[in-house]
Amino acid sequence: MSVGRLIETPDCVAEGCAYLVDIEPRFATAFDATGPLPLRRRPDGFAALLSAIVSQQVSVAAANAIWARLKAAKLTGPRKVLWATEEELRACGLSRQKVRYAKALAEARIRFADLRDAPDDEVVATLVEVPGIGRWTAEIYAMFSLGRADVFAPADLALQESARVLFDLPERPSEKALREMAAAWSPWRAVAARGLWAYYHVAKNREGIR
């Protein structure tokens, strides 16, 4: 199976935006408010996935602070994480649960290079086998580290709230409802996500994603 379109340059994002505006005029409202969307490409590999774990269920500011402490302590590689004590990782701001997740990721020995050529569903299925990596984390990795153009993360609360505001919904959509809603935005669902995160920042004056 093909991996489909990749988001590699700002031109890719612009192409996705044009497509979304054509099929759903409310995206034009969002993009007028946000201006050009960020590329949001990151390197792939262990550190990127560890960073996504750090971001789980904490604010963007808190995640940034924890990640900065991990980097300063040189605890962003698999061997260093394996060798680190719980106390060393906790001192950087990780909860006990996230310490377990970080070590499980280091022990998993994922072949990250192989994921570059794997279909989206296979990427997600491989990653969620690791304790502490749920579908949200796997989808964030696929979007930002692998550049997949048609991946979405409907469990994300900022995406749910942004969709509620932009589409004037009576309440925040559930993960299932937002996943169904986003199906219409294929094959550029990852650009729709970027747009909704950017719109969340405008509407709420808060960052929705690192």
Side-chain angles (χ1 to χ4, degrees):
M1 290 178 63
S2 168
V3 301
R5 285 295 303 268
L6 298 178
I7 296 175
E8 299 179 301
T9 69
D11 286 344
C12 299
V13 178
E15 182 182 347
C17 287
Y19 176 86
L20 292 168
V21 168
D22 189 52
I23 64 168
E24 174 48 72
R26 295 207 196 200
F27 276 114
T29 300
F31 299 154
D32 285 346
T34 64
L37 301 181
L39 180 59
R40 289 195 182 279
R41 279 303 305 269
R42 303 172 182 166
D44 64 343
F46 178 87
L49 203 48
L50 179 61
S51 176
I53 289 173
V54 167
S55 297
Q56 292 172 358
Q57 299 179 324
V58 297
S59 70
V60 171
N64 285 338
I66 294 167
W67 187 248
R69 290 195 288 270
L70 286 169
K71 287 180 68 176
K74 301 188 186 315
L75 291 174
T76 58
R79 284 183 294 179
K80 292 292 184 69
V81 169
L82 273 178
W83 295 339
T85 65
E86 178 177 332
E87 290 71 23
E88 288 171 327
L89 292 168
R90 292 269 289 155
C92 294
L94 291 182
S95 65
R96 283 191 175 86
Q97 186 178 55
K98 287 189 179 180
V99 169
R100 291 197 300 272
Y101 294 165
K103 287 188 173 289
L105 175 62
E107 292 166 354
R109 302 186 183 279
I110 295 170
R111 297 172 64 90
F112 290 102
D114 291 350
L115 295 182
R116 297 171 190 167
D117 299 318
D120 298 341
D121 288 347
E122 185 178 324
V123 170
V124 172
T126 298
L127 295 181
V128 299
E129 289 180 358
V130 181
I133 297 181
R135 191 173 181 93
W136 178 88
T137 303
E139 287 168 337
I140 294 296
Y141 183 85
M143 274 193 280
F144 295 163
S145 292
L146 299 180
R148 302 302 172 87
D150 202 28
V151 174
F152 196 73
D156 189 273
L157 294 180
L159 290 184
Q160 293 172 8
E161 178 63 13
S162 184
R164 182 192 69 80
V165 175
L166 181 61
F167 292 93
D168 196 25
L169 303 176
E171 59 186 14
R172 185 185 294 170
S174 66
E175 176 182 356
K176 181 174 185 246
L178 187 54
R179 190 178 295 280
E180 291 172 354
M181 187 176 178
W185 308 332
S186 180
W188 289 104
R189 282 178 282 192
V191 174
R194 285 165 169 79
L196 289 172
W197 274 313
Y199 190 67
Y200 178 85
H201 176 65
V202 170
K204 300 293 183 176
N205 196 29
R206 293 177 60 191
E207 294 294 342
I209 192 74
R210 288 181 68 214

